[in-house]
Amino acid sequence: GFAGTMPQGKVSRDAGIKIEVVVEISVDDEEMGYRLSGRRVHENSGRVYHVEHNPPKVAGYDDDTGEPLVQRLDDLEDTVRNRLSVYHEQTKPLVKFYTELEDLQSQSPKFSTVNGLGLLSDVQARLVAAME
């Protein structure tokens, strides 16, 4: 989402852009790596599978067409590790930025951290509660 880096966060603050709620969805690196590297995609339709959490009926093949599934280049293990490194360097500092902003200013965005593990419906419920 936006802001994704400290410069974006500072620019939006300095420009007077009103952000009401900031939510961090927390998932540890190991789990995030597993989620991303297990993803498989049917290129023509965009259907998404996961080798464990949402496997196709026949491993490696789309349920509807029988065509091969692919692992996107940005889901390869090395790329995922790099993406997580970039997150920790560029995006994670925003947690402190928005937490401190919330503490200093009454008009600051409400900041919440939501556990991103569990059933989709549970995570969605936690997100809705954090935005209220």
Side-chain angles (χ1 to χ4, degrees):
F2 183 85
T5 64
M6 283 296 296
Q8 291 173 348
K10 290 177 180 178
V11 165
S12 64
R13 177 201 60 201
D14 296 345
I17 296 171
K18 180 146 175 59
I19 299 173
E20 295 180 21
V21 179
V22 174
V23 179
E24 172 195 27
I25 301 172
S26 178
V27 177
D28 69 43
D29 285 3
E30 186 176 322
E31 176 66 19
M32 186 59 65
Y34 171 72
R35 287 181 183 187
L36 293 173
S37 64
R39 185 166 48 184
R40 301 296 184 268
V41 178
H42 179 250
E43 286 186 301
N44 292 332
S45 70
R47 279 186 290 279
V48 178
Y49 299 88
H50 190 276
V51 295
E52 183 178 327
H53 298 297
N54 182 33
K57 293 174 187 169
V58 176
Y61 295 92
D62 181 60
D63 288 349
D64 292 346
T65 65
E67 296 172 340
L69 300 175
V70 298
Q71 184 177 30
R72 296 175 0 181
L73 293 177
D74 60 341
D75 289 342
L76 295 173
E77 187 175 342
D78 287 343
T79 307
V80 170
R81 272 194 247 127
N82 185 57
R83 289 168 64 190
L84 288 169
S85 175
V86 169
Y87 166 79
H88 286 291
E89 291 172 18
Q90 296 182 12
T91 304
K92 186 71 175 172
L94 284 167
V95 171
K96 182 177 180 191
F97 174 77
Y98 282 116
T99 302
E100 290 175 351
L101 196 59
E102 181 180 40
D103 291 342
L104 294 174
Q105 302 173 5
S106 61
Q107 298 298 317
S108 297
K110 174 186 169 192
F111 177 82
S112 299
T113 297
V114 170
N115 181 348
L117 297 177
L119 297 174
L120 178 60
S121 58
D122 293 340
V123 175
Q124 287 173 328
R126 291 190 290 264
L127 283 168
V128 168
M131 292 189 283
E132 292 178 339

